[in-house]
């Protein structure tokens, strides 16, 4: 593989990272173990297979050349050693306690920014693997592709050949200039629209102190599993999509959690960022991020569960009608309009501005329908983990896998010592929705 400049959004993720707010994605896979030594065997397999995956050899290096001054490249690491990235830990009784501790540690920036931590269970009947990928290396779909490359092979449908691209010179083809000019004008208009929508989204918003926190650098994780059939029952009874129901469950769980801890939910309507992938499912290459997003107000202050679902569904419909290139949620697209040096100098400021943009991240990470295995040991649970933005105390990631929905929760451990209570609230909220719609 050859080196390539980081795309603007990748560069933004690389530069907004701080010690208290590492910008890596995570996924905790829990495996049923065929033997007490299955975890150790899994670590050996991961290290052996990683050496043959080109994308895992890529490091990120700063660039100070005139045309990309302040940028960075993604390039093969000359001294790549898989053993620097795969770690076998001592047996543990609680995978999530260990995952939280590991998620708070930034990845080493001088080598390929990913890690795989194998956590054997004390009982010997299970083990877990925590994958960490820096957001500058991969978005959710790309991270899944890299992780799948070192799990057991899957029988996937064959991919058709990619269309060949014509060589790119230093100057655009003159026949394309009119279209390029129209595109430039359209990009400017889009940027102005996003900026105006972002300004409006920050007006008259009341969130909760529980969703914001001074950075402590600590992390806590939790996982929740619910039945996908229950989600479908609600969807069929009330309309909308599976994602609408899952987001409404988050809104209702926040209401329960805030009321239980005494913070109160009256008048609270936090802004939720819902990332939208602009990458087609079978094109996880090229590397890097292809992301936009939708911004919605979660109706935490609404006491009626079905009304909350209706509000979420209507908000998501409005966003889909506008498309992922418009509105305050698409602010990630503005990264394309920022020169590399500005990304480098303004990264810390941009990280601090996240709290002005949204209050909580709620993201969905796609998983294959086929069963995942490592060393013949099947995956039984998969919890995705999202980065925690500066000034925010909770992020929610969701994956659907083999008939179950897995909520992966990441929180600032000092700001949210009761993350397990929020996890229980998610389960209770789905049960309430099922009952309310008579499903």
């Amino acid at each position: 593989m050859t080196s390539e400049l980081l795309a603007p959004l990748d560069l933004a993720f690389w530069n907004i990272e701080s010690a208290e707010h590492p910008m890596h994605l995570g996924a905790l896979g829990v495996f049923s173990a065929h033997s007490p030594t299955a975890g150790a065997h899994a670590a050996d397999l991961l290290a052996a297979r990683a050496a043959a995956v080109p994308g895992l050899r890529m490091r990120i290096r700063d660039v100070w050349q005139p045309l990309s001054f302040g940028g960075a490249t993604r390039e093969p690491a000359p001294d790549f050693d898989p053993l620097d990235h795969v770690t076998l830990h001592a047996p543990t009784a609680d995978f999530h306690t260990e995952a939280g501790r590991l998620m708070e540690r930034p990845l080493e920036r001088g080598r390929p920014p990913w890690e795989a931590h194998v956590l054997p269970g004390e009982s010997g009947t299970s083990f877990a693997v925590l994958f960490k990928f820096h957001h500058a290396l991969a978005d959710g779909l790309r991270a899944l592709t890299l992780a799948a490359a070192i799990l057991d092979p899957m029988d996937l449908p064959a991919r058709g050949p990619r269309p060949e691209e014509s060589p790119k010179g230093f100057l655009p083809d003159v026949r394309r200039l009119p279209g390029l000019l129209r595109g430039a004008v359209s990009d400017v208009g889009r940027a102005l629209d996003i900026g105006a929508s972002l300004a409006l989204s920050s007006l008259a918003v009341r969130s909760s102190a529980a969703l914001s926190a001074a950075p402590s650098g600590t992390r806590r994780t939790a996982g929740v599993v619910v039945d996908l059939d229950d989600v479908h029952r609600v969807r069929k009874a009330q309309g909308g999509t599976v994602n609408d129901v899952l987001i409404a469950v988050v809104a209702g769980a926040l209401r329960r959690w805030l009321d239980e801890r005494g913070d109160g939910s009256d008048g609270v309507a936090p802004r939720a960022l819902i990332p939208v992938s602009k990458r087609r499912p079978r094109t996880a290459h090229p590397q890097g991020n292809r992301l936009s997003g939708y911004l919605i107000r979660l109706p935490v202050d609404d006491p009626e569960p079905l009304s909350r679902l209706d509000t979420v569904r209507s908000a998501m419909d409005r966003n889909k009608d506008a498309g992922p290139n418009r509105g305050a949620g698409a602010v990630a697209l503005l990264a394309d309009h920022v020169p590399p040096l500005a990304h480098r100098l303004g990264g810390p400021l941009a990280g601090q501005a996240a709290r002005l943009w949204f209050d909580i991240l709620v993201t969905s990470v796609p998983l294959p329908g086929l069963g995942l295995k490592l060393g013949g040991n099947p995956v039984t649970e998969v919890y995705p983990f999202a980065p925690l933005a500066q000034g925010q105390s909770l992020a929610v990631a969701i994956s659907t896998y083999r008939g179950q929905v897995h909520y992966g929760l990441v929180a600032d451990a000092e700001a949210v010592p009761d993350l397990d209570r929020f996890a229980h609230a998610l389960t209770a909220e789905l049960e309430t929705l099922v009952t309310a719609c008579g499903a």
Side-chain angles (χ1 to χ4, degrees):
M1 299 181 72
T2 58
S3 63
E4 61 179 5
L5 285 172
L6 288 189
L9 186 54
D10 300 343
L11 188 60
F13 284 134
W14 188 244
N15 286 313
I16 66 176
E17 181 172 62
S18 67
E20 294 79 15
H21 286 84
M23 289 302 298
H24 52 252
L25 311 167
L28 181 68
V30 180
F31 297 78
S32 177
H34 292 330
S35 72
T37 61
H41 179 53
D44 291 340
L45 282 176
L46 292 174
R49 293 171 178 174
V53 180
L56 297 177
R57 307 178 69 94
M58 304 299 280
R59 67 177 181 180
I60 295 175
R61 188 174 62 86
D62 294 338
V63 174
W64 299 102
Q65 298 172 356
L67 294 179
S68 55
F69 193 75
T73 61
R74 189 183 293 108
E75 61 182 35
D79 55 350
F80 174 70
D81 184 348
L83 295 179
D84 291 335
H85 302 264
V86 179
T87 304
L88 175 64
H89 293 262
T92 178
D94 189 338
F95 295 138
H96 278 288
T97 296
E98 292 302 309
R101 180 180 61 83
L102 294 167
M103 282 295 290
E104 70 187 35
R105 294 187 346 201
L107 293 165
E108 187 171 324
R109 292 169 71 92
R111 62 191 188 193
W114 69 274
E115 293 173 351
H117 297 271
V118 181
L119 309 171
E122 280 188 347
S123 66
T125 60
S126 64
F127 66 91
V129 179
L130 175 69
F131 290 102
K132 295 167 55 178
F133 294 96
H134 199 287
H135 220 328
L137 179 69
D139 57 17
L141 187 55
R142 175 66 179 167
L144 172 64
T145 302
L146 291 172
I150 50 179
L151 296 178
D152 292 355
M154 293 184 295
D155 295 326
L156 297 175
R159 180 186 299 178
R162 293 196 187 103
E164 294 185 3
E165 295 184 1
S166 57
K168 297 180 180 179
F170 290 102
L171 295 175
D173 188 332
V174 294
R175 293 169 297 180
R176 297 177 59 214
L177 281 175
L180 292 172
L181 291 174
R182 285 195 300 272
V185 172
S186 175
D187 285 347
V188 171
R190 181 191 310 158
L192 292 173
D193 172 81
I194 294 171
S197 299
L198 182 60
L200 290 173
S201 73
S202 64
L203 299 176
V205 174
R206 179 167 179 249
S207 184
S208 169
L211 296 178
S212 61
S216 71
T218 60
R219 292 293 179 271
R220 185 185 303 274
T221 72
V224 178
V225 182
V226 298
D227 196 327
L228 183 59
D229 285 342
D230 286 341
V231 178
H232 279 300
R233 290 187 186 98
V234 176
R235 178 191 61 79
K236 291 176 181 178
Q238 299 301 124
T241 68
V242 165
N243 205 40
D244 294 342
V245 177
L246 297 177
I247 295 170
V249 167
V250 173
L254 285 172
R255 179 181 176 84
R256 291 171 180 269
W257 177 60
L258 292 175
D259 287 344
E260 286 176 5
R261 66 189 342 235
D263 291 338
S265 57
D266 291 344
V268 174
R271 296 159 300 175
L273 177 63
I274 316 294
V276 177
S277 176
K278 300 189 71 178
R279 187 194 302 279
R280 294 183 178 180
R282 294 196 179 187
T283 55
H285 190 88
Q287 302 175 57
N289 289 272
R290 301 291 186 274
L291 291 173
S292 182
Y294 298 145
L295 198 68
I296 71 170
R297 301 274 186 92
L298 293 181
V300 173
D301 55 348
D302 189 337
E304 297 298 329
L306 296 184
S307 176
R308 288 194 295 267
L309 174 56
D310 185 62
T311 299
V312 167
R313 184 179 66 238
S314 297
M316 289 296 289
D317 285 346
R318 287 193 298 272
N319 275 286
K320 292 170 188 175
D321 289 342
N325 296 329
R326 298 285 180 181
V331 71
L333 300 180
L334 296 182
D336 293 339
H337 301 272
V338 179
L341 185 59
H343 275 296
R344 184 172 298 276
L345 298 177
L349 183 61
Q352 295 173 15
R355 71 177 70 185
L356 302 177
W357 174 24
F358 64 98
D359 302 298
I360 184 172
L361 180 73
V362 183
T363 183
S364 295
V365 181
L367 290 177
L370 300 175
L372 300 171
K373 294 181 180 180
L374 179 56
N377 303 285
V379 171
T380 58
E381 304 166 42
V382 185
Y383 301 103
F385 298 136
L388 198 58
Q390 186 167 341
Q392 296 171 356
S393 58
L394 177 64
V396 180
I398 310 168
S399 283
T400 301
Y401 178 68
R402 297 180 71 81
Q404 294 182 317
V405 177
H406 295 80
Y407 283 91
L409 311 177
V410 176
D412 184 287
E414 292 187 8
V416 187
D418 57 344
L419 184 61
D420 288 344
R421 293 175 66 181
F422 177 68
H424 291 311
L426 287 166
T427 302
E429 180 61 20
L430 179 58
E431 292 173 352
T432 297
L433 275 171
V434 172
T435 301
C437 66

